[in-house]
Amino acid sequence: MPANTRNAVTAILYFAVSVMITAWFIEQKFGYAVTPDAILLSNIVAAFKWVVMAIAALALLEENKWAFIRRMAFACLAGSCAMFSTYVFRFLPISSWQQFTYAMALAMLVMTGFFFKAVADTRLSLKWFAVWMILLIISVILQVKVVFNLHPSLVTNEVSHFFDSRKKSEIS
């Protein structure tokens, strides 16, 4: 199998598994109501940055485009796998909301590190990384504000009891 074909197939597999993990993670609810439409919209928002970068790579890169897309897909998968850290965070004396937040922060940190490595390993300009960071920020804002209608008051004492893992089962 040619290297480009192998890289393309690997990238598709990485992205597919990442979408499944992300959908599972969103479906876990973490104290807020999630509808099937919200899960779909959240996955679309999460995938947006990856789709934009893959299209840019296909359109703008002449060399190493498939190697870059494979590495980029691995960054996506690694970030999605980092969300499994919620199982570790559940053993800590923190609320469900904090478990969710820490898992998301870890996932973004892992994705960012691996995406930077993908850019560096394929010797692309740091502009690729800067554009991806902008897309990541937009994605996070869209998910927090639009998809889940979350806002800072959710972490105040007024509603923080909804995110207490001991009371989560009573709410769901």
Side-chain angles (χ1 to χ4, degrees):
M1 181 182 310
N4 282 341
T5 303
R6 187 172 49 252
N7 284 332
V9 169
T10 303
I12 290 167
L13 289 173
Y14 287 164
F15 280 131
V17 172
S18 180
V19 166
M20 288 185 281
I21 293 170
T22 303
W24 165 84
F25 183 74
I26 294 165
E27 195 276 329
Q28 295 302 300
K29 298 182 183 177
F30 294 93
Y32 52 86
V34 179
T35 65
D37 289 343
I39 292 170
L40 178 63
L41 182 58
S42 184
N43 264 317
I44 290 169
V45 169
F48 174 76
K49 64 189 164 295
W50 302 109
V51 170
V52 169
M53 294 307 291
I55 290 170
L58 290 170
L60 301 174
L61 297 179
E62 293 180 23
E63 297 178 19
N64 296 325
K65 73 174 73 178
W66 287 108
F68 173 67
I69 292 171
R70 177 185 47 82
R71 288 179 175 123
M72 182 177 64
F74 181 78
C76 178
L77 177 61
S80 294
C81 288
M83 292 187 288
F84 284 118
S85 63
T86 56
Y87 289 116
V88 174
F89 294 136
R90 287 180 180 174
F91 291 104
L92 300 177
I94 58 177
S95 70
S96 179
W97 175 253
Q98 289 170 314
Q99 294 167 14
F100 171 79
T101 304
Y102 295 163
M104 289 306 301
L106 179 61
M108 287 188 286
L109 183 64
V110 168
M111 281 189 304
T112 302
F114 279 109
F115 190 83
F116 182 81
K117 185 173 175 3
V119 169
D121 287 352
T122 49
R123 296 188 171 111
L124 296 176
S125 164
L126 286 180
K127 290 177 185 176
W128 284 83
F129 181 72
V131 168
W132 185 81
M133 286 300 296
I134 291 167
L135 292 171
L136 178 64
I137 290 167
I138 291 169
S139 176
V140 168
I141 290 169
L142 285 173
Q143 293 223 342
V144 168
K145 295 290 185 180
V146 177
V147 177
F148 298 118
N149 296 316
L150 300 177
H151 49 82
S153 69
L154 288 176
V155 294
T156 66
N157 288 334
E158 297 169 15
V159 294
S160 62
H161 64 279
F162 289 116
F163 302 107
D164 186 338
S165 59
R166 291 165 293 200
K167 294 183 182 181
K168 182 178 175 183
S169 61
E170 298 170 14
I171 299 166
S172 297

